[in-house]
Amino acid sequence: MSCAPLRHATTLLYLAATLVACSNSDVPPATQAPPGEPPGPTEVGCAECTSIVGGVVFDGKVAAPGTVVLHGDRIETVERGKVRVVAGQTLDATGHTVLPGLFDMHVHSAGESAPYGYFSPVDLMEANMKGRLRAGVLSYLDVGSLPHVIFETRARAQTGAMLASNVFAAGPLFTPQGGHPCTDGQPPQGFCVFIDSPADVAPGLAGLLPQAPDVIKVVIENGSPSSPLPRIDQASLEALAAAVHAEGLEPIAHVNGSDDMAMALDAGIRFFAHMPGEDLLDAATVARLVEADARIVSTLVVYDSLWRISTGDLASFLDPALADEVPPGVLAAFHDEALLAGMQAPALQALYATWRDNAFANFVACHAAGVGLVTGTDAGNPGVFHGPSLRRELALSVELGMTPVEALRAGTLDAAEMLTHERPDLGRLAAGAIADVLIVAGDASVDIGALAQVRDVIRAGRRLDLPSLSQLADTTLFEQPQTGLGAGATCLGAAECGDDLYCSWLSSCAPVCGGTSACDSGDACFPQAASSAGWCYPGDHCDLIGQDCVNGQACIWLGNASSVCWFAGSGTDGQTCDANAACAPGHQCSLSSGKCAALCDPLGPDTCPAPKTCTDLSAQAGLIIGECH
């Protein structure tokens, strides 16, 4: 009987070699050794199979010499003894480590990874995915992206429309109004779900559950002494945890300090998205984590990267070798003194040093006590690059006391088993598992630094062409391109929308304006970078004078009778606009000057401070409004 043919066509991103293997029934039985003599080698192979031979095989638990046999998109067998390949292709891994594809359990898929204040002119979803694939990060959990974007990305990855890692996603973050990360209001497209009482839990979940999230992320933190934030109350937290568990899902808690972690444990939550950095965990809390069989995603690298940037230790961010793995604009941002200066104030240096020291100490304490630790980076934060930073995370784990084998397990098998339902086909090299395989030069079970020497990445049985995944290569991951999408559809690329539509920075097809069509009244023409045209941004008709937006947002005007609740900044009349072109409520940011101007009613009493007067901008805004000039 012959092996079944490979079902997937090769593309420019894959080498011509197909990687398949056949079951033991497809090869002749091994020759039986005479009595008293050692058995002969196990025979493996078939006409269309690939056997990876000669390497140290880390299967998710142990590392030892072995052979991995692939069949289509699955692993047929892992043999530890002597083998003889009787047919098919052989991939020589002598001097290399063969291990499962790595997991990153804390990712923000489109996050820029540049210093704060940098705004990419293009969507980075595809570029960041290339960085993960090149580094062998073949599975990841997104715990904070625009919901419609990450669920569409997951769907395309699952159907094969997009070459991608295995994508798992939480969707929006559950947090109180004004809480982290939506401190300045609700960004467009529902990044946060606000939970201010137990009554908010059911409607909050009702809008999310049809999208089949893999976990539910809840934020538990109260900010800092200089920037306090509202923290979810215990009753709401317990109601959310109970409702999530009733759906067969697990809540994962963003925590900043030991009090946050205690609240989560009291509510029956045992998954944590960070190692706390605000303070040190006491022995009683560590014991509770062990008793609860908790799992903590370490995210050591985010603390380390913030500290390095604040102190000017930029060597690791300026390494020329990163050019293939990190988008060029992101790397260039680390040469921008103005951006770096915003992160290097003495107060921030002290804060980041405290976070780093505490998180590292808490990691050591939890590891010594036997708390479950899995690997995640918080990729998308400054200096936390998609793909390469997972290697740094694992290296830090070893520096703080893990053995290389423990670190490898935290980044493979243990991470896979943390997912809501155990995935016996991920995070391991074993019969029946997905053929997600990473081959690196050297013995990673002895030297964790070997993970930087990637030779081969095999995704679901396909050997990827790594040069074509370089950030400098003009290739795409979209194997089944979408075209002709209608207004409001989720788009992941500029060419996916239909005629007279544009894929906006919200990854939604929107009518083009300033070109072939105009916006409906109440929708603004939002300028698009490097283009004379723009796209129609929907307004929400907030009250510019009454400032009726919730959660401390600011109501601003965008033209064409459009007003919208936007991020609130701190700048008042004449002061510089904050990030996101934001000013304090009741003020408008001038994009030409970068300054805030107070809003006023041109038909009412002049409320502008002398010598300024209320300048009527109603014709420009399409609404009755003025600004103090």
Side-chain angles (χ1 to χ4, degrees):
M1 186 174 73
S2 64
C3 293
L6 185 69
R7 294 190 299 270
H8 303 292
T10 57
T11 72
L12 78 163
L13 293 180
Y14 309 125
L15 296 180
T18 55
L19 302 177
V20 294
C22 48
S23 66
N24 291 334
S25 62
D26 296 319
V27 298
T31 302
Q32 297 297 315
E37 294 187 14
T42 300
E43 294 182 339
V44 297
C46 68
E48 295 180 321
C49 70
T50 293
S51 300
I52 306 173
V53 302
V56 173
V57 175
F58 173 74
D59 61 8
K61 294 182 179 180
V62 298
T67 298
V68 180
V69 182
L70 309 182
H71 180 197
D73 65 354
R74 296 282 161 171
I75 295 172
E76 179 69 17
T77 186
V78 176
E79 300 291 342
R80 290 295 186 186
K82 294 181 179 180
V83 301
R84 183 165 67 90
V85 179
V86 297
Q89 297 183 12
T90 300
L91 192 60
D92 186 3
T94 302
H96 293 71
T97 306
V98 183
L99 65 155
L102 300 172
F103 271 75
D104 190 337
M105 293 293 283
H106 193 133
V107 169
H108 302 282
S109 294
E112 293 163 333
S113 303
Y116 290 131
Y118 170 81
F119 296 99
S120 173
V122 296
D123 178 73
L124 294 178
M125 182 71 77
E126 185 179 14
N128 292 342
M129 189 70 79
K130 288 182 178 180
R132 293 183 207 100
L133 291 171
R134 277 184 60 91
V137 179
L138 300 186
S139 298
Y140 75 93
L141 173 63
D142 185 291
V143 287
S145 291
L146 291 177
H148 70 290
V149 177
I150 191 57
F151 289 130
E152 175 68 15
T153 301
R154 184 184 65 179
R156 295 197 195 184
Q158 289 174 343
T159 61
M162 177 183 185
L163 172 61
S165 308
N166 297 294
V167 180
F168 301 88
L173 285 69
F174 285 69
T175 190
Q177 291 197 45
H180 176 81
C182 296
T183 57
D184 296 325
Q186 171 72 288
Q189 306 297 314
F191 188 72
C192 291
V193 174
F194 294 126
I195 301 294
D196 294 308
S197 74
D200 295 328
V201 170
L205 287 174
L208 174 60
L209 292 175
Q211 300 176 82
D214 296 290
V215 297
I216 302 294
K217 184 176 180 181
V218 57
V219 176
I220 314 173
E221 77 154 274
N222 59 0
S224 65
S226 60
S227 300
L229 297 173
R231 180 167 60 183
I232 190 171
D233 64 84
Q234 190 68 37
S236 299
L237 183 62
E238 291 177 0
L240 177 63
V244 171
H245 284 138
E247 294 292 336
L249 297 172
E250 288 285 353
I252 182 169
H254 163 105
V255 294
N256 196 34
S258 57
D259 288 346
D260 308 329
M261 188 167 268
M263 285 184 65
L265 290 168
D266 288 344
I269 296 173
R270 65 186 189 94
F271 287 176
F272 297 92
H274 288 287
M275 183 64 68
E278 182 181 67
D279 56 8
L280 296 175
L281 300 176
D282 59 25
T285 301
V286 173
R288 289 190 67 189
L289 291 167
V290 174
E291 182 180 3
D293 193 24
R295 297 290 184 272
I296 304 176
V297 181
S298 49
T299 65
L300 300 173
V301 70
V302 69
Y303 299 112
D304 186 62
S305 294
L306 291 173
W307 175 75
R308 287 178 181 272
I309 295 171
S310 73
T311 60
D313 181 5
L314 304 177
S316 59
F317 311 116
L318 301 177
D319 184 352
L322 291 172
D324 286 320
E325 297 181 302
V326 181
V330 173
L331 290 179
F334 283 93
H335 294 275
D336 189 325
E337 294 296 333
L339 291 175
L340 295 171
M343 298 183 63
Q344 293 176 345
L348 286 178
Q349 290 181 15
L351 177 64
Y352 294 151
T354 297
W355 285 356
R356 179 181 185 269
D357 290 348
N358 288 341
F360 283 18
N362 288 335
F363 181 93
V364 171
C366 288
H367 176 244
V371 177
L373 301 172
V374 300
T375 303
T377 64
D378 212 351
N381 274 278
V384 188
F385 303 128
H386 297 263
S389 286
L390 193 71
R391 298 194 290 259
R392 176 64 179 158
E393 182 72 24
L394 290 164
L396 287 170
S397 299
V398 172
E399 289 178 20
L400 295 176
M402 277 189 170
T403 67
V405 168
E406 287 177 321
L408 291 176
R409 177 164 179 158
T412 56
L413 180 63
D414 290 347
E417 292 184 341
M418 181 180 165
L419 293 170
T420 306
H421 299 289
E422 183 179 344
R423 289 290 304 266
D425 59 343
L426 285 178
R428 68 207 76 197
L429 301 181
I434 290 179
D436 284 350
V437 182
L438 174 62
I439 303 177
V440 299
D443 188 347
S445 70
V446 175
D447 175 15
I448 201 70
L451 294 177
Q453 306 301 317
V454 175
R455 194 195 80 177
D456 281 297
V457 177
I458 300 169
R459 171 72 178 99
R462 300 174 171 185
R463 187 180 184 185
L464 303 187
D465 179 5
L466 298 183
S468 73
L469 294 174
S470 168
Q471 302 293 339
L472 306 177
D474 185 21
T475 54
T476 180
L477 301 181
F478 296 107
E479 298 187 278
Q480 300 171 22
Q482 301 285 319
T483 58
L485 297 179
T490 298
C491 49
L492 300 182
E496 294 187 352
C497 299
D499 293 341
D500 297 334
L501 297 174
Y502 192 92
C503 187
S504 74
W505 59 269
L506 297 174
S507 293
S508 179
C509 293
V512 173
C513 52
T516 57
S517 67
C519 303
D520 294 335
S521 178
D523 294 348
C525 185
F526 203 92
Q528 189 65 37
S531 172
S532 59
W535 52 279
C536 294
Y537 184 86
D540 53 22
H541 312 293
C542 58
D543 187 340
L544 293 165
I545 301 300
Q547 291 292 314
D548 57 348
C549 298
V550 300
N551 194 27
Q553 293 173 280
C555 182
I556 61 173
W557 61 269
L558 298 176
N560 198 37
S562 173
S563 61
V564 62
C565 292
W566 191 246
F567 297 96
S570 58
T572 56
D573 193 50
Q575 296 180 334
T576 302
C577 307
D578 290 359
N580 302 311
C583 297
H587 296 75
Q588 184 89 8
C589 179
S590 169
L591 297 181
S592 60
S593 67
K595 301 292 184 181
C596 298
L599 296 173
C600 56
D601 184 355
L603 303 181
D606 193 339
T607 56
C608 296
K612 296 183 178 182
T613 59
C614 187
T615 301
D616 190 349
L617 297 178
S618 301
Q620 182 178 348
L623 299 165
I624 304 300
I625 194 62
E627 293 179 6
C628 295
H629 292 289

